[in-house]
Amino acid sequence: ELEEARDKELAQTKFLSFTKKMWPGFIQGRHHEIMADAFERVVNGQCKRLIINMPPRHTKSEFASYLLPAWFMGKNPGSKIIQATHTAELAVDFGRKVRNLIDSEDYKIIFDDIKLQSDSKAAGRWHTSKGGVYFAVGVGGAIAGKGADLFIIDDPHSEQEAALAETNFDIYDKTYEWYTSGPRQRLQPGGAIVIVMTRWSKKDLTGQVLKAAAQRGGEEWEVIEFPAIMPSGNPLWPEFWPVEQLEALHLELPNGKWMAQYQQQP
């Protein structure tokens, strides 16, 4: 019983401990520890603006769009979360996964005082019995009337958009315009924004948000960047990705690459 109580307390206070409880097959890498530390500071109110840039298929969405909102809601049952990604369909899929996790027996062992409101369980919009609200939206979608204690933006640009944007930067501009007129205006007092994405261009959302922050002052963003292959030549996540497979993945992406200057940063 003492061991179970310790495990429960760890999962409530440490994001990686929660992850291992909810995801038994999880394979931990060093970058997960860095992400977990950043997410803990977001949830504890120490970090209000966080950007994490990382390559595809390194558990970006599992951490940011699945486990983070579930953990945040468990620790703050009355909170409001808005989750956005490049399509509404994908955002709703994330909402379904988070909802189902919160409704699972494993989750209730860790956070036993949170329940879904019985009359509000739609995949893309649901409520908790404590007054919490989760809302999923695609980039460009309407969010008028919605508030957020936590706004998560996961891959606002798809790989297909990145290919088109090489000749039409309006795609990036429209995403930034949506961000400034929508998510940025929907925060509750003290609310946090987390942007997790693969970089495709200096005009993508990360690039434009940081450029505006530098030019206008005011918001300070914490930025964490993970390369797929370290300057040493070793993979970021050797426990899962051999360097040979990373190089093959690299060739599958638009024009055979994600931005080289971000791929090789330490």
Side-chain angles (χ1 to χ4, degrees):
E1 289 178 356
L2 285 173
E3 185 177 352
E4 288 176 358
R6 282 196 297 267
D7 286 348
K8 178 177 179 178
E9 183 179 2
L10 269 176
Q12 289 176 342
T13 57
K14 294 295 182 181
F15 183 77
L16 271 184
S17 297
F18 173 75
T19 296
K20 292 171 184 176
K21 285 292 186 182
M22 300 300 105
W23 186 2
F26 171 63
I27 300 173
Q28 183 174 329
R30 172 60 181 149
H31 67 298
H32 296 122
E33 298 172 25
I34 297 171
M35 292 176 72
D37 179 71
F39 288 164
E40 286 169 13
R41 285 184 283 107
V42 168
V43 173
N44 293 333
Q46 299 168 311
C47 176
K48 300 296 185 182
R49 302 290 184 273
L50 174 66
I51 290 174
I52 300 179
N53 297 146
M54 58 192 298
R57 305 178 196 175
H58 281 69
T59 66
K60 172 172 69 269
S61 294
E62 286 85 350
F63 262 45
S65 295
Y66 174 49
L67 294 164
L68 174 59
W71 194 58
F72 188 92
M73 191 70 82
K75 292 175 71 66
N76 305 280
S79 60
K80 295 175 173 58
I81 299 175
I82 298 179
Q83 164 77 52
T85 189
H86 52 269
T87 67
E89 181 180 6
L90 183 57
V92 169
D93 283 346
F94 286 137
R96 182 179 296 106
K97 287 183 66 176
V98 178
R99 179 201 64 189
N100 292 348
L101 179 60
I102 287 177
D103 205 28
S104 70
E105 292 304 317
D106 288 340
Y107 183 90
K108 291 173 183 176
I109 291 172
I110 307 302
F111 297 109
D112 53 10
D113 62 342
I114 180 172
K115 296 178 176 62
L116 296 175
Q117 193 168 301
S118 58
D119 61 348
S120 179
K121 292 186 178 182
R125 183 176 182 177
W126 42 264
H127 299 248
T128 73
S129 58
K130 300 287 187 178
V133 179
Y134 178 100
F135 181 70
V137 63
V139 168
I143 51 178
K146 311 295 189 302
D149 297 295
L150 176 63
F151 205 120
I152 303 169
I153 302 176
D154 178 5
D155 269 340
H157 315 292
S158 68
E159 296 173 14
Q160 293 75 21
E161 286 178 337
L164 293 172
E166 298 237 341
T167 56
N168 181 11
F169 283 116
D170 285 348
I171 291 173
Y172 292 135
D173 292 337
K174 288 178 180 177
T175 298
Y176 182 67
E177 289 169 8
W178 169 81
Y179 166 80
T180 55
S181 63
R184 185 61 191 85
Q185 307 302 321
R186 301 279 47 143
L187 283 184
Q188 303 277 87
I193 302 175
V194 175
I195 300 174
V196 182
M197 59 179 288
T198 298
R199 294 299 308 271
W200 299 105
S201 164
K202 291 181 179 179
K203 286 182 67 67
D204 62 18
L205 185 60
T206 287
Q208 297 206 42
V209 164
L210 294 181
K211 181 180 178 181
Q215 289 177 343
R216 301 168 194 166
E219 287 191 336
E220 292 187 7
W221 288 82
E222 177 177 342
V223 182
I224 298 171
E225 292 184 332
F226 294 121
I229 301 173
M230 306 296 285
S232 63
N234 295 321
L236 170 66
W237 192 13
E239 298 86 353
F240 188 79
W241 281 113
V243 68
E244 298 80 13
Q245 291 188 27
L246 276 176
E247 290 170 347
L249 168 65
H250 181 69
L251 297 175
E252 294 175 12
L253 298 172
N255 296 326
K257 64 180 181 179
W258 57 82
M259 287 190 66
Q261 58 263 52
Y262 297 102
Q263 183 190 1
Q264 293 297 337
Q265 282 190 1

